[in-house]
Amino acid sequence: RDSIFAQKSNMDILNNDQKIAVMRVLLDIIYADGRVDIRETAYYSDLLNELHLSAEFEELIQKKSSLIALLDIKNFSLEQKEYFAAMMDKMIKVDQDINVNEVAIYDVVIEFCGIPIPFVA
């Protein structure tokens, strides 16, 4: 899955509204286990840079409804969904603590959004 990141380094695959939706759900994964690990925040920051999202987008991400973000993601192309699934997968694993709540969010997202990539621990 890391190869997806290398192939899409400039992130032309998502527009700004889609990027905000993606980052909103990733924040939900970060907070799902009740602990924010430095590796999660570092990965989140790396993604902000990779997505070319400046500090002004942070407020938009924080204010974005998770449910509206899911509706946005549901309309992604298959390539965009696969890219997002790889981001969720890495966010869950980055702290080396796979939490049941994080996986539950992943499962809800893939089911609702029609992403054909189950989580593999």
Side-chain angles (χ1 to χ4, degrees):
R1 293 186 184 187
D2 286 336
S3 63
I4 294 172
F5 297 111
Q7 294 169 8
K8 302 292 181 183
S9 62
N10 64 5
M11 282 309 301
D12 290 335
I13 190 171
L14 301 172
N15 66 37
N16 282 344
D17 290 336
Q18 292 169 325
K19 292 173 186 179
I20 291 167
V22 161
M23 296 308 288
R24 174 67 258 169
V25 174
L26 292 176
L27 271 182
D28 292 335
I29 291 172
I30 289 172
Y31 297 135
D33 63 3
R35 288 171 288 143
V36 177
D37 184 276
I38 189 74
R39 292 167 289 193
E40 292 170 326
T41 56
Y43 177 57
Y44 183 84
S45 293
D46 290 346
L47 284 175
L48 286 174
N49 290 331
E50 184 177 328
L51 296 171
H52 306 293
L53 293 176
S54 58
E56 64 227 27
F57 283 94
E58 285 280 350
E59 186 175 345
L60 296 172
I61 293 165
Q62 291 286 340
K63 289 183 176 182
K64 179 82 173 181
S65 162
S66 297
L67 295 176
I68 298 301
L70 282 179
L71 287 173
D72 293 343
I73 294 164
K74 187 175 186 174
N75 292 316
F76 281 13
S77 70
L78 181 58
E79 180 185 22
Q80 291 169 321
K81 289 177 180 181
E82 289 172 349
Y83 183 80
F84 177 54
M87 284 191 253
M88 288 193 298
D89 181 86
K90 186 167 181 180
M91 184 59 78
I92 291 168
K93 294 175 179 174
V94 73
D95 65 355
Q96 300 176 345
D97 176 31
I98 298 173
N99 179 273
V100 65
N101 293 332
E102 295 169 337
V103 176
I105 291 173
Y106 184 98
D107 289 343
V108 166
V109 171
I110 66 165
E111 182 176 336
F112 181 80
C113 297
I115 301 173
I117 304 171
F119 182 78
V120 178

